[in-house]
Amino acid sequence: MQSIKTAESQLRWTRKHLLSLEQLSADELRFILDTALSLKEVSTRSIKKVPALRGRVVVNAFFEDSTRTRVSFSLAAQRLSADIIDFSEKTSSTNKGETLIDTARNIEAMGIDILVVRHGAAGAADILSRAMQCSIVNAGDGAHEHPTQALLDALTIRERKGRIDGLSVAVIGDILHSRVARSNIYLLTKLGATVRVAGPGTLVPAEFAELVEQGLRIERSVEDAVAGADVVMILRIQRERQDAAFFPSMREYAVHYGLHPEHLKRAAPDAIVMHPGPINRGIEISSEIADGSSSLILDQVTTGVAVRMAVLYLLAGGSRDGFTEEQNGRAKKEKRERKGNKG
Ligand code: CP
């Protein structure tokens, strides 16, 4: 599929859905990141709103718990002037036996443009994209992918480091159950980073051996994974997805795989630490690191709003140049108003 029209004046992303980063090319990934960067400024204004999606309807359909993703998709839609409806499984008629597709089709029948869906089953967003007319955004599907998380991670890295190409990124923790790890591995390797993963042997998927040819390194210890790393990305133990004992106890996990200040001495001197949240202090990361100067955990959350704005905006048919024109128009209008006030 031709995903980006590269006509000089109007760059436009023509995909209907955002389901996984495995499907996207490096050019598409850069395009979304560039668009997000141009939208980031909106959140710094006193009136944090642009009219780009006025009249459009976005529904957040979360079938799994969320704080960051759900709130930031809501804020992103609001900052673009879209109408946003929050749907929660816990209070819905799915509890009376309605299926996922029937639920989504009924919501769509009320007239919506974009459905943001989080679900515990891998492939849920993909199934919906085949059954519905509106755009679908995958906000995390089981242990499969979490595309907007990896995009916000990448933009956070790019803003701090100035690039992604050539960086060494260590991803440490529960890789097996982590959709964040998968999306990040696809994205970071496509954009030229080297990724190493580390965790208990039981929590590193066997199929990752196939990715070694593409440059993925599988390390057996945190010490080896962080050695010389520019970025250290820590993952939470996903107890909600674990149906067996993958390590003896949380205490032992914390001792062997938790990130402590001593580890960071082995990383690059200006290494940054990231975590998608929610963090479990004292288990996968010490408070000293989570709250320390290397930590970009809250910067990730801030950047998430811009990334989700970009995704909603582009899926709704917006062009990156279109937004830039809108910004220029606004700047000109503000200048005129300032002149008028002086006169
Ligand atoms: N990182 C992330 O997806 O956080 P939430 O589960 O709170 O949305």
Side-chain angles (χ1 to χ4, degrees), residues 2 4-12 31 319-321:
Q2 174 69 34
I4 298 174
K5 287 181 191 159
T6 50
E8 276 169 26
S9 62
Q10 281 281 300
L11 285 167
R12 195 178 287 277
F31 183 73
S319 69
R320 194 180 68 204
D321 288 359

Side-chain angles (χ1 to χ4, degrees), residues 62 65-70 118 146 149 179-180 276-278:
F62 278 61
D65 295 343
S66 168
T67 297
R68 281 144 289 269
T69 312
R70 185 170 175 161
R118 167 168 289 190
H146 193 347
Q149 179 67 46
R179 51 199 178 203
V180 175

Side-chain angles (χ1 to χ4, degrees), residues 171-183:
V171 183
I172 298 164
D174 180 357
I175 313 289
L176 181 68
H177 301 100
S178 176
R179 51 199 178 203
V180 175
R182 276 179 189 72
S183 288

Side-chain angles (χ1 to χ4, degrees), residues 17 101 104-105 108 125-134 136:
H17 311 290
I101 290 180
R105 278 192 178 142
E108 185 174 45
D126 182 60
I127 287 171
L128 290 178
S129 74
R130 293 162 201 271
M132 299 175 65
Q133 301 303 312
C134 67
I136 304 293

